[in-house]
C-alpha cells in the first residue's frame, strides 16, 4: 500500500512522517523532492526566485519519475508499506498555483499537470491531508522561500480542495491546527484503519 502525506508547508507532514517510523519499522519511508540529483535540482529551483515555472515543473516531474522507478514501485512489488512525505498531489497543488501566477500560457494548469502524470505515475492508495489554513501555515513555515507566502499558499490550498473534491474516497482529512501529539495520534489511527481495511 502507498500512503502519502499532503498539506501546506507548516502543516506538520514531516513531524507525522517521522513519528510513523517507530510504529511501522518495516515500512519504506520516502519523500519528494528526493535526495537524488534530480531532487537536488528541484531544491536549487526552489531557492531561485527567477526559476522558470514550466522548467521547474519538469524538474519536479523528473524527480517523481526517478522516485517511482528506484523506490516506490520496487517497494510495492515487495509487498511493503510505503509512506511518502509529499507525492504527486503536492506537484498538482503547488506547481499549478505557480503556473497560474506566471506568464505561461496555460488555461488549466492543474489539469495540464495531472495529464502529464497520468501516463506514468502510480496513484496513492490513500492520502492523509493535514488541513491548516494558509496564514497559519505561512507563520509556521517561516516564509523562508517563494512557496511559503500566505497568498501563494491560499492558492495551493484551493488546488488541494479541488483534488479532494475530485477523489474524496482517497483523501482522509486531519485537523492539523490541533497539538502535534493529537495530530500524530489521529494519523496513527487513520493509518491503522487503512491497513486493516486493505
Amino acid at each position: 500500500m502507498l500512503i502519502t502525506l499532503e498539506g501546506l508547508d507548516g502543516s506538520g507532514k514531516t513531524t507525522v512522517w517521522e513519528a510513523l517510523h517507530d510504529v511501522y519499522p518495516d515500512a519504506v519511508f520516502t519523500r519528494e523532492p528526493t535526495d537524488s540529483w534530480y531532487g537536488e535540482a528541484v531544491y536549487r529551483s526552489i531557492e531561485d526566485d527567477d526559476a522558470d515555472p514550466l522548467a521547474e515543473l519538469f524538474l519536479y516531474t523528473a524527480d517523481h519519475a526517478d522516485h517511482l522507478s528506484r523506490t516506490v514501485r520496487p517497494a510495492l512489488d515487495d509487498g511493503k508499506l510505503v509512506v511518502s512525505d509529499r507525492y504527486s498531489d503536492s506537484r498538482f497543488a503547488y506547481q499549478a498555483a505557480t503556473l497560474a501566477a506566471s506568464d505561461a500560457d496555460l488555461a488549466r494548469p492543474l489539469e495540464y499537470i495531472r495529464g502529464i502524470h497520468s501516463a506514468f505515475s502510480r496513484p496513492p492508495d490513500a492520502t492523509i491531508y493535514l488541513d491548516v489554513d494558509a496564514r497559519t501555515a505561512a507563520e509556521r513555515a517561516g516564509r523562508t522561500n517563494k512557496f511559503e507566502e500566505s497568498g501563494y499558499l491560499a492558492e495551493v490550498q484551493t488546488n488541494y480542495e479541488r483534488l479532494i473534491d475530485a477523489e474524496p474516497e482517497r483523501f482522509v482529512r486531519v485537523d492539523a491546527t490541533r497539538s502535534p501529539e493529537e495530530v500524530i495520534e489521529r494519523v496513527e489511527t487513520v493509518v491503522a484503519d487503512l491497513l486493516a481495511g486493505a
Side-chain angles (χ1 to χ4, degrees):
M1 174 176 275
L2 171 58
I3 298 175
T4 58
L5 303 174
E6 293 286 354
L8 300 180
D9 287 81
S11 62
K13 294 175 317 308
T14 302
T15 300
V16 167
W17 180 78
E18 290 171 348
L20 289 172
H21 281 63
D22 293 333
V23 184
Y24 300 98
D26 295 329
V28 172
F29 288 89
T30 187
R31 61 176 14 138
E32 291 187 8
T34 67
D35 59 2
S36 70
W37 68 267
Y38 299 98
E40 290 173 10
V42 169
Y43 283 115
R44 289 177 62 187
S45 76
I46 290 172
E47 297 303 320
D48 182 358
D49 290 337
D50 296 323
D52 178 81
L54 199 54
E56 190 169 63
L57 165 64
F58 287 110
L59 289 175
Y60 276 97
T61 305
D63 186 47
H64 181 65
D66 182 68
H67 187 213
L68 283 164
S69 65
R70 291 180 188 264
T71 304
V72 176
R73 285 198 171 103
L76 293 174
D77 288 345
D78 286 343
K80 293 184 178 292
L81 168 65
V82 179
V83 181
S84 186
D85 177 1
R86 295 205 179 284
Y87 193 69
S88 54
D89 290 307
S90 284
R91 201 135 36 264
F92 304 155
Y94 277 81
Q95 298 313 118
T98 300
L99 286 168
S102 75
D103 295 330
D105 189 20
L106 292 172
R108 301 170 67 92
L110 181 61
E111 290 74 10
Y112 174 75
I113 299 168
R114 292 185 74 186
I116 291 169
H117 285 69
S118 66
F120 75 93
S121 189
R122 199 294 192 176
D125 295 297
T127 298
I128 299 171
Y129 178 66
L130 299 177
D131 193 6
V132 65
D133 65 276
R135 183 183 298 275
T136 301
E139 289 172 358
R140 287 181 180 178
R143 296 181 171 91
T144 58
N145 63 50
K146 62 190 178 185
F147 295 131
E148 295 175 353
E149 296 297 329
S150 57
Y152 175 78
L153 288 176
E155 293 299 319
V156 173
Q157 187 171 33
T158 297
N159 287 335
Y160 270 123
E161 293 298 337
R162 290 175 63 196
L163 294 168
I164 293 168
D165 287 346
E167 295 182 80
E169 70 286 346
R170 174 165 66 87
F171 285 88
V172 179
R173 191 187 300 266
V174 171
D175 182 359
T177 65
R178 302 180 73 83
S179 71
E181 294 80 11
E182 290 174 302
V183 174
I184 289 169
E185 183 177 358
R186 173 63 181 139
V187 170
E188 288 177 351
T189 299
V190 169
V191 173
D193 289 346
L194 288 169
L195 293 176

